[in-house]
Amino acid sequence: MTPNRLLIIDDDPDIRSLFRIFAETFGYAVTEGGNGTESLIEYDRVIPSVIILDLSMPEQDGVEILRELATRGCTVPIILA
């Protein structure tokens, strides 16, 4: 398993694609979530080493996702976008 695992949480597929291209260039295994529900499922599945999080999403904003990640004991670095 690749030690560098990135979870991209963003509702814009173009933004996710851009982050994916850059991350994979640097050897990251990338997982994506287009909304809070998908993203939290992926978080539990892969336990990423870093997260990129869009703070402004229609279904569930980034602050709510941050709270949920905290309840799950998330200690990985989170880049807010």
Side-chain angles (χ1 to χ4, degrees):
M1 178 179 270
T2 305
N4 296 321
R5 296 173 310 279
L6 172 65
L7 173 58
I8 303 167
I9 304 172
D10 197 302
D11 61 316
D12 185 330
D14 293 332
I15 297 294
R16 291 195 315 267
S17 177
L18 179 65
F19 281 129
R20 174 182 284 281
I21 290 166
F22 283 114
E24 288 177 343
T25 299
F26 290 99
Y28 280 80
V30 179
T31 304
E32 301 177 16
N35 61 47
T37 303
E38 285 177 5
S39 301
L40 293 170
I41 290 168
E42 290 304 312
Y43 172 81
D44 290 336
R45 189 177 70 79
V46 301
I47 306 295
S49 55
V50 66
I51 297 170
I52 296 175
L53 172 61
D54 179 7
L55 286 177
S56 177
M57 293 189 297
E59 177 190 310
Q60 184 178 21
D61 73 18
V63 175
E64 292 176 77
I65 295 170
L66 285 171
R67 285 187 189 118
E68 182 59 35
L69 289 170
T71 65
R72 293 170 189 235
C74 177
T75 59
V76 304
I78 299 174
I79 299 166
L80 303 176

